[in-house]
Each structure stands twice: as C-alpha cells, then as structure tokens.
Amino acid sequence: MFGRLTRWRNAWFESRHPFPEADWREARARLPLLAAVPEPAASRLGHRAWRFAHAKRLSRHPALADALSLDVADRLAIAAQACLLTLGWSEGEHRDAFANVHEILILPDAFQRRVEELDAFGVMHEYDDQRVGETSHQGPVVVAYPDLMASGGLDGFNVLIHELAHKLDMANSLDADGFPPLPGDIAPQDWHREFTAVWDDLQARLARGEATPIDDYAASHPGECFAVACEYFFTAPDVLHAAYPALYALLTRYFRQAPPWRHDAFPPS
C-alpha cells in the first residue's frame, strides 16, 4: 500500500515538474562522482535529487551572485550528492532521514566560529575555529563555495556528504556523536566496536607521528569520524576498504549500497 502511495506521489510531482533529462546529464558530466553511478541507479538518483531540490531550499550568499548561477544542473548536482547517502533506502526512509534538512546555504569562503571546549581535566578552552562547513540539528547545512567546488570528485573529500552525514547522525540527538539511528539488522555494539577500532587506530598512528589512511580530522571527534568515513565510503571506497575493511562492510549494511553502486540491491522507489 505504502509503495503504491509513494509511486503515485512521485508521479504526481513529476506531472507538475517534468524531470529535466538534459540538465541531469549535464550535472553528471560536471562531477566524476555522479558520472560513476551506473544505470539504472543514476536514474533513480536523478529523480530523487529532483524532488529533493524542490523540497529543500538551496541558496547562496549574495556575494556569490556572479560566481554561482545555481541553474537547474547546479541544483541537481548539489541535491544528488546529498541524496547519494540515502540512495539505498526507500523513499519514506529517505524523507525521514532528511526531515531535519531545510536549507543548504553556500557562503563565499571558509568562516570562523568561536568555540568553547572543556578538556579532560575540566579546563575550558576558547579559540577561533575556521570551518568549511557546519550544521546543527534543525539549522541549515552551510558550506563554503571553494570547498563545494572541490567536492564531487573521487578523492575522499566531499563537504556536502560530510555535513549531510552529520544530519543523519543528529536524527536521534541534538549533537553529532557518531551514533546515528541504526536499522534493525545492525546491533549498537557492532557499530560501537567497529568505529572504536578505527578511532583507536587513528589515535595510535597520530601518537606515533604516522600518516593516517583517511583524513586525520576523523580523529578529532566521534561525530567527525563518522562523517569522514562517509566521505571516503562514497568518494574513495577503495581507500576505506583497504584501510578498514570491517568498517567498510558495516557501512555497506547501514547505507544498503556498496560503491561502486550495486543498483540491483536498491528497493523500489
């Protein structure tokens, strides 16, 4: 019953807003990440991104009026990177997962936030933190334009995926703690075990002065560990799999997809 209702709702939407095939082809041509998604998964992603782009506000700072047009292909490219995270989930699961996403706001450059942080000894530290993206439980997803332009490749970096991963993480709490709502087939202890193993390995490598196999920002906070892992899972899955195969396997279960994408594993829209 719910599947029929979803299909009817999607058909009704596209009868009023016909899917822009040419613009979707252009969006995929612009970004290697989107071009790497095979058919029919790419078609599924495009149609979901089209609905996402209409349901959410995609906006830019006025200073970007000349640099960023936000044409249809731009909007589809932004929305599709967000929707990659939920591509393996049903339409209802996708809507619920991003119910706390209302706006994606693009700023001209990185920005600073005054941060207060309590250390292990109870001492409060204040400092200015430069950020390329941020979000909060019900706040907008904010990204810096240069880093948005640097996203979309197959290199382990994607500011949109990073910040949208935080939104998934915040679905069961006000803060990103690295422990999002889990499907019934993943036990919380399994999630904790795998992420703890990665966290401990990153900390040990940094303590020894060694390079880390994924961005060492993952070692700064459990929530960042999850978000960085998501970036690698979608944009450099071979790197994540080689470094942390058990974590990669866990994320394939969580996202119900295994980049490069297995379209036959996806549920119907």
Side-chain angles (χ1 to χ4, degrees):
M1 174 181 176
F2 291 109
R4 289 209 309 259
L5 179 60
T6 296
R7 287 191 291 273
W8 176 86
R9 185 186 290 122
N10 291 346
W12 178 85
F13 167 82
E14 292 199 8
S15 70
R16 301 191 63 184
H17 307 281
F19 182 68
E21 293 283 359
D23 292 298
W24 176 233
R25 287 194 297 272
E26 174 62 24
R28 294 189 70 203
R30 292 177 184 178
L31 299 182
L33 177 61
L34 301 182
V37 182
E39 293 292 355
S43 178
R44 173 187 172 86
L45 176 63
H47 286 264
R48 181 168 284 184
W50 184 232
R51 296 189 293 271
F52 183 97
H54 279 77
K56 315 297 182 181
R57 184 179 178 191
L58 306 180
S59 54
R60 62 188 174 180
H61 189 278
L64 289 170
D66 294 331
L68 180 61
S69 64
L70 278 185
D71 60 19
V72 174
D74 288 330
R75 291 176 176 273
L76 276 170
I78 291 169
Q81 290 174 83
C83 292
L84 268 178
L85 282 89
T86 58
L87 186 58
W89 299 352
S90 71
E91 186 70 19
E93 290 168 329
H94 159 75
R95 286 198 307 270
D96 290 347
F98 286 151
N100 61 349
V101 178
H102 309 291
E103 178 182 11
I104 296 176
L105 172 62
I106 307 167
L107 297 187
D109 213 331
F111 48 96
Q112 289 192 336
R113 287 286 184 264
R114 190 66 178 170
V115 176
E116 295 183 350
E117 193 171 83
L118 192 67
D119 68 18
F121 301 100
V123 178
M124 183 66 73
H125 301 270
E126 294 188 17
Y127 59 94
D128 290 323
D129 183 34
Q130 184 164 318
R131 301 181 176 183
V132 302
E134 71 172 11
T135 193
S136 58
H137 184 258
Q138 289 292 338
V141 172
V142 181
V143 297
Y145 176 64
D147 298 272
L148 175 63
M149 293 297 98
S151 301
L154 300 168
D155 56 4
F157 176 79
N158 191 293
V159 68
L160 281 169
I161 288 176
H162 186 104
E163 297 305 326
L164 269 296
H166 283 324
K167 282 292 194 181
L168 295 182
D169 195 352
M170 294 174 184
N172 58 359
S173 65
L174 295 179
D175 297 313
D177 57 6
F179 224 109
L182 299 177
D185 62 341
I186 297 180
Q189 55 266 34
D190 292 343
W191 188 270
H192 182 266
R193 182 184 64 251
E194 299 305 340
F195 270 97
T196 298
V198 171
W199 175 270
D200 289 346
D201 179 70
L202 292 170
Q203 298 296 331
R205 289 173 185 265
L206 290 173
R208 295 192 298 265
E210 297 177 5
T212 54
I214 62 175
D215 192 327
D216 61 11
Y217 190 52
S220 65
H221 186 277
E224 302 302 344
C225 190
F226 172 63
V228 170
C230 291
E231 288 183 83
Y232 277 83
F233 180 77
F234 287 101
T235 74
D238 53 334
V239 174
L240 184 66
H241 184 271
Y244 303 115
L247 178 62
Y248 176 86
L250 180 70
L251 291 178
T252 64
R253 293 168 59 199
Y254 173 72
F255 286 114
R256 296 184 208 146
Q257 47 180 312
W261 292 265
R262 294 200 326 268
H263 59 264
D264 58 335
F266 298 148
S269 297

